[in-house]
Amino acid sequence: AKTTKKQWYQRRVLEFQTFQHYFKRINLSGHAMVNIPKVRRTFCKYSECKKHTQHKVTQYKAGKRNKIALGERRYRMKQMGFGGQTKPVFRKNAKTTKKQVLRMECQTCHKKKQVTLKRCKHFELGGQKKRKGQMIQF
């Protein structure tokens, strides 16, 4: 059951559309303030479920780098001895935001999937919902 490029693209568009209503425009730069609930009901594609179930939402964080990975060892060997920095160090960073990645765990089968969101300057997980006509309390 290999997915074609068109099917993959359609699935990505569908996943994006499910999160689109969480985006709220605040600043004029085009980047949104995003507030996403900690638990949400969404489709679980794995064979145990194949239906909409509750998913626990967490923010993806890159793991610790492995010191014994081949690229890391090769880099350390190249850096040894005289000659200073051997590989380029990236300094011209143009982006001010990062794309947010959500890690969603199905509550019934405990399988995990990741969903990428748009770029945003402020990301909030499980924050308070805004209500119209409510007074701001300090």
Side-chain angles (χ1 to χ4, degrees):
K2 228 177 160 188
T3 57
T4 62
K5 208 169 192 179
K6 187 178 179 182
Q7 289 172 329
W8 179 86
Y9 180 74
Q10 286 172 339
R11 195 179 315 126
R12 296 296 294 180
V13 168
L14 213 152
E15 283 178 350
F16 170 72
Q17 286 171 347
T18 56
F19 282 102
Q20 206 169 19
H21 62 280
Y22 288 116
F23 287 83
K24 296 179 185 94
R25 297 270 170 205
I26 283 185
N27 47 3
L28 300 172
S29 65
H31 297 295
M33 160 73 180
V34 181
N35 181 13
I36 286 177
K38 286 187 177 177
V39 177
R40 77 180 303 259
R41 209 172 121 75
T42 188
F43 187 75
C44 181
K45 64 182 179 181
Y46 299 104
S47 58
E48 292 95 286
C49 296
K50 288 241 184 257
K51 62 183 182 220
H52 275 72
T53 55
Q54 290 285 341
H55 281 68
K56 191 166 75 176
V57 182
T58 52
Q59 194 175 358
Y60 167 78
K61 181 177 176 277
K64 189 179 170 190
R65 290 183 65 98
N66 190 355
K67 287 184 178 180
I68 58 170
L70 179 61
E72 199 69 38
R73 292 186 313 226
R74 188 183 287 137
Y75 176 70
R76 260 190 280 122
M77 284 298 292
K78 198 171 183 182
Q79 286 290 87
M80 271 195 231
F82 297 108
Q85 182 67 34
T86 57
K87 290 264 193 182
V89 179
F90 186 70
R91 289 198 180 90
K92 291 185 176 179
N93 199 352
K95 301 278 187 285
T96 56
T97 58
K98 282 193 160 89
K99 288 182 179 178
Q100 298 298 326
V101 178
L102 300 181
R103 193 161 178 263
M104 303 175 74
E105 183 183 350
C106 178
Q107 302 281 24
T108 54
C109 67
H110 300 289
K111 295 265 173 105
K112 295 158 188 80
K113 70 174 181 178
Q114 291 184 336
V115 179
T116 311
L117 299 180
K118 279 183 174 177
R119 295 182 177 276
C120 60
K121 287 200 172 167
H122 304 287
F123 178 78
E124 204 174 353
L125 196 61
Q128 286 186 326
K129 288 186 179 177
K130 285 188 176 178
R131 291 187 176 86
K132 286 185 179 177
Q134 291 277 320
M135 284 182 59
I136 300 167
Q137 297 198 351
F138 295 100

